[in-house]
Every structure is written in C-alpha cells, then in structure tokens.
Amino acid sequence: MRRFVAALLFISATLLTAEPRCSANLAVQPSRSASNHHQVILEAYINETGPYAFLLDTGSQITIIDESLASELHLEKTTRAAIVGVSLHGEGGKYALVDSVRVGDEARVERFYVIAFDMKDILAARYAIRGVIGGDFLSHFNETIDNKNNRVCFTQVGE
C-alpha cells in the first residue's frame, strides 16, 4: 500500500511540475526583434507568404494587418471599419478578405476577414510589427503562453 501511495504522489508531483504539452509544429518562438520583451511577437503567414511579425493581442477583438502589407499582398479592401482602442479613437481601416492566416505550422484559419489599417503611429512607437493577431483568430484555438520556454502553443478548439 505504501508503494502505491508513493507512486501516486510521484505521478501527481510529476504532472503538476511538467511542462505544458505543446506540439512542436505549433510552438512559435517570439521574435527577437521586439523592442519590449513583454510583448509576444509571433511569426504569422498571410496567404502562405511570410513570416511577418505580428503582435499577439488577447484584448483585441479583430486581427489587423498593416495597410502597406495589405498592398504588398494585393489584398482587395472592402467596407470601411472604425478602430477604437486605448490610443485609437475611431481611426479608419478597411476590411480585407484573406485566404488564410497561419501561425506556426498548423494554427491556421481560412477565408478570414482582417482589417487593413495604417499602422504608421504604431511603427513610430518602435513596435516592429506588421499586424496584430486578435480574438477572432484566437477564438479557433486554445492558446498557452509558455513564458518559461519562450513559446506560444495553439490547439484547435474541440480537440
């Protein structure tokens, strides 16, 4: 009986201290070019081109792409959108449909609307990013920010 209890305690301690499981193809190293190490910068692919540095923003409702990148990718911009946030007060952008947004090898959302927005003020504030991964992308996944191992893990919702 003592061996059984000791084995249970060992297994419990191992499970509590084990690193979160993160499929290697979903682990993304934050960009080393970040000016502030408290930001989580991911390598994102738009329509399978990239990688581009995107800020992970769990407080943003929508994914944003820099207007200059949208032009480089020849994205067709449609309906006007107002962006409101901490320092953005109804600034204008336009919706653009992309074939896919992907982070890592498999965290991918297809046929997805983003907002193309002129991020010049954000870039002037020394944020070396081309966009923002927002809640509309994140709603497809459960994400784990693993600061100790400097990675972000995504698993499909429902898996």
Side-chain angles (χ1 to χ4, degrees):
M1 181 68 168
R2 287 184 190 185
R3 286 185 185 176
F4 176 74
V5 172
L8 259 169
L9 289 173
F10 175 75
I11 291 170
S12 296
T14 303
L15 290 175
L16 290 174
T17 60
E19 293 180 16
R21 284 199 39 140
C22 182
S23 174
N25 58 357
L26 296 180
V28 178
Q29 291 293 328
S31 171
R32 300 288 180 226
S33 64
S35 59
N36 181 340
H37 295 288
H38 300 291
Q39 303 163 356
V40 178
I41 308 295
L42 304 175
E43 292 181 339
Y45 296 80
I46 308 297
N47 295 344
E48 294 307 315
T49 64
Y52 305 105
F54 272 56
L55 175 70
L56 174 65
D57 186 353
T58 59
S60 176
Q61 294 176 336
I62 193 159
T63 297
I64 300 170
I65 183 172
D66 184 35
E67 196 172 70
S68 66
L69 179 56
S71 294
E72 287 173 32
L73 297 174
H74 307 289
L75 298 181
E76 184 178 334
K77 296 173 224 153
T78 60
T79 311
R80 188 165 172 73
I83 301 176
V84 178
V86 173
S87 62
L88 305 169
H89 305 285
E91 306 267 339
K94 288 195 174 185
Y95 286 99
L97 180 64
V98 296
D99 293 329
S100 66
V101 174
R102 178 171 60 87
V103 175
D105 290 336
E106 294 183 22
R108 175 187 172 110
V109 177
E110 295 181 351
R111 303 281 304 155
F112 187 69
Y113 278 97
V114 298
I115 292 184
F117 176 71
D118 185 355
M119 297 176 66
K120 69 179 177 295
D121 292 336
I122 294 168
L123 297 172
R126 297 178 41 104
Y127 287 87
I129 58 173
R130 302 295 305 269
V132 174
I133 296 291
D136 53 351
F137 179 89
L138 297 174
S139 68
H140 297 270
F141 305 95
N142 292 316
E143 60 275 347
T144 301
I145 300 172
D146 181 356
N147 290 307
K148 178 182 175 189
N149 295 299
N150 202 28
R151 64 185 181 180
V152 177
C153 305
F154 295 96
T155 52
Q156 194 79 33
V157 168
E159 285 186 358

